[in-house]
Amino acid sequence: MCGIVGYVGVQEAAPILVDGLRRLEYRGYDSAGLAVHNGQSVEVVRRSGKLRELEKALQETPLTGAMGIGHTRWATHGKPSEVNAHPHTAGPVTVVHNGIIENHLVLRQELLDQGVELQSETDTELVAHLVEQQLSQGLDLVGAVRAALARVRGAYALAVVSSADPTRIVAAKHSSPMVLGFGQGEMFLGSDIPALLPYTREMTFLEDGDVVVLEATRATLTDLEGGPVERPRQHIDWSPVMAEKAGYKHFMLKEIFEQPRALEDTLRGRLDREAGDIVTAEVGLSDEQARGFSRVTLLACGTSHHAAMVGRYAIEELAGLAAQVELASEYRARSAVVTENELVVVVSQSGETLDTLEATKLAKSKGATVLAIVNVIGSAIPRHSDGAFYTHAGPEIGVASTKCFSTQLANLLMFGIWLGRRRGGLSAARTRELVEGLAHIPSLMTDLLTSMKTSMGEMARRYGGAQDVLFLGRGVQFPIALEGALKLKEISYIHAEGYASGEMKHGPIALIDEQVPVFVLVPRDGNYERSLSNLQEAKARGARVIAVASEGDDAVAGVSDSVVAVPPTDPLLLPLLTVLPLQLFSYYVADFKGTDVDQPRNLAKTVTVE
Ligand code: G6P
């Protein structure tokens, strides 16, 4: 998730572009750059690091001119560095891009075979070269962009300028967002509303497949074939702060509702639905290595640890491989034994958590092969690992992790499927089922989130006054129970316990009375009957039971005080759905209590102390 901006008009472009980027920094902040046409040519300034580094550079090397494009980056291909920062240039062509080009490996190889010299590790530079090749065939800029995009698969919001034309920006969109802003004799472009709000409130949202030529006095919209397109103009009356949160009250709520999009980005290019398989070329593990592993150890902290627990169930079930999960701090606190041919999978949103980083180094020093599942590209943990399988959730601002959790689950499930297929434990038919199941998860998430918009608020009002809340789950739902309890503790400061349903009678059952709401995760999976018995045991002791169950389950509805119904999917994929009501419940309880949802007391987003 990156931010892009564009300006063409009568004013100096650079200050407007920098201002727009500042308002988009929530979309990414590992590097930034501008390209401005000075009337003769396009000049580019880029810097690694936060936007202020770019601003400092612009003081030394000011860019002048009334047309330009800009970018704030959240790395998806290639570590954060000046050479990987946007804009990217090929001959007269300069490009900024937000998105992920799925077929970048194939395109890169083709260009290298043609003798093209590539400067960066990014997928975006490839687009610049494709456009440049089309320009040199005699096409005009918009024609060249269309022809280049015909070769590209994936998600993009692109803005392209040419040194041969100081009056036009060509932009195109597929999957990634893009908004046009209409001024008086000037036009604006941005990934999102906040970039444009100080300058205009008249905006047009582009749709997938739209290509636009932006000039100072007009925007000409076409489709990818060049046919005319019309999009409505809208008046936006949001405040700038509301706009950054896309109208949501808190980043956490925005990030909860962003999960379908985050999942799509994470799954993009990794599900081969035609072959019914998972693509993990980027990870750098060979099929032979996959067959040779003797055991998997998963290491993580906090929410990432709960994702790792789900990963354990997936790896054991799909790959038939012994797997264990460790808290990174505890792994360091004992004399952990690394067996021969052991794979250590490290899970971390930030890639910087100190305990997880130190555990990574320890495992590596003891001879393990280390694979990092991390959200922040180029962070410390992947740098100390043998390979990385990145989640593409985009920056997560809320301290309580939500969208990063679900994308971690997705990567762990994909990795489990990949391992299972290579090791022979997983049939082609089941692999195909799981691949299809994953492909459908984003739309199931959207439906479920939409259906809970008002009901979870009511549920939070009904149960949110409790002093203690219990969350029960069995099998792959046990880590989700732990995650539900952690979310509630983190942001609403209510005491909550996550427990394995089967263990309830060994302790927590003593806590149960009419005051204690008990969430029971009881979707239809291999543990359904036993989980239902546990639900009834809680109910029989007077608990107020909130069941998270499969749609149409009358047996559960008959014995529960409240039910959240989740749509059917493969039982192994259900955690991606059952976690959603628990995240929303915590959010609404915290919001009613008036806590600082995005920055809860005593917590930090990234913990770099022991
Ligand atoms: C902190 C955050 C949690 C996160 C944990 C691990 O406690 O508040 O949201 O789960 O660190 O962080 P990591 O970046 O390694 O996933």
Side-chain angles (χ1 to χ4, degrees), residues 64-76:
T64 54
M67 183 193 82
I69 52 180
H71 190 272
T72 179
R73 182 166 187 249
W74 176 260
T76 58

Side-chain angles (χ1 to χ4, degrees), residues 301-304 347-353 356 381 396 399-401 408 487 490 603-607:
C301 298
T303 288
S304 299
V347 186
S348 170
Q349 183 285 126
S350 60
E352 300 284 350
T353 303
T356 315
I381 289 171
E396 191 176 62
V399 165
S401 181
Q408 287 169 344
K487 286 281 93 72
E490 279 179 314
L603 297 179
K605 184 76 191 154
T606 305
V607 179

Side-chain angles (χ1 to χ4, degrees), residues 3-6 24 177-181 188-193 195-196:
I4 68 171
V5 288
L24 292 182
M178 188 179 278
V179 191
L180 303 183
F188 304 85
L189 180 76
S191 293
D192 205 350
I193 299 168
L196 315 185

Side-chain angles (χ1 to χ4, degrees), residues 310-520:
V310 176
R312 174 200 187 177
Y313 288 100
I315 289 167
E316 285 180 339
E317 180 179 326
L318 300 173
L321 187 58
Q324 54 179 11
V325 191
E326 293 272 354
L327 289 164
S329 52
E330 284 302 306
Y331 188 77
R332 298 178 62 204
R334 58 187 186 75
S335 309
V337 175
V338 170
T339 54
E340 211 183 328
N341 294 328
E342 179 160 329
L343 173 67
V344 168
V345 176
V346 182
V347 186
S348 170
Q349 183 285 126
S350 60
E352 300 284 350
T353 303
L354 187 70
D355 276 321
T356 315
L357 175 60
E358 291 304 321
T360 305
K361 292 181 193 164
L362 186 64
K364 188 109 190 69
S365 71
K366 292 187 175 185
T369 302
V370 180
L371 170 66
I373 294 188
V374 166
N375 195 43
V376 181
I377 296 206
S379 51
I381 289 171
R383 288 205 305 274
H384 286 88
S385 303
D386 297 293
F389 191 28
Y390 286 107
T391 53
H392 291 312
E396 191 176 62
I397 311 284
V399 165
S401 181
T402 51
K403 64 174 181 170
C404 285
F405 177 71
S406 32
T407 55
Q408 287 169 344
L409 291 186
N411 271 22
L412 286 158
L413 287 160
M414 285 193 283
F415 184 65
I417 298 168
W418 180 82
L419 263 185
R421 197 70 198 112
R422 266 82 216 148
R423 293 173 67 87
L426 196 60
S427 71
R430 174 111 168 93
T431 307
R432 189 173 285 280
E433 263 171 35
L434 287 161
V435 167
E436 280 308 300
L438 278 170
H440 286 103
I441 288 289
S443 70
L444 295 181
M445 280 181 148
T446 303
D447 294 347
L448 182 56
L449 286 166
T450 310
S451 75
M452 292 188 299
K453 250 183 189 159
T454 49
S455 62
M456 281 323 282
E458 284 159 18
M459 220 176 271
R461 256 192 296 265
R462 186 167 167 195
Y463 300 105
Q467 288 197 335
D468 308 279
V469 181
L470 212 54
F471 291 79
L472 303 177
R474 194 183 273 269
V476 81
Q477 297 299 333
F478 168 43
I480 303 304
L482 293 174
E483 178 58 9
L486 180 62
K487 286 281 93 72
L488 196 63
K489 280 185 273 207
E490 279 179 314
I491 58 170
S492 73
Y493 317 145
I494 292 177
H495 170 245
E497 297 262 7
Y499 241 79
S501 304
E503 278 290 297
M504 180 185 66
K505 50 187 145 328
H506 301 296
I509 201 162
L511 296 173
I512 292 180
D513 62 23
E514 299 74 32
Q515 306 307 316
V516 180
V518 181
F519 275 83
V520 186

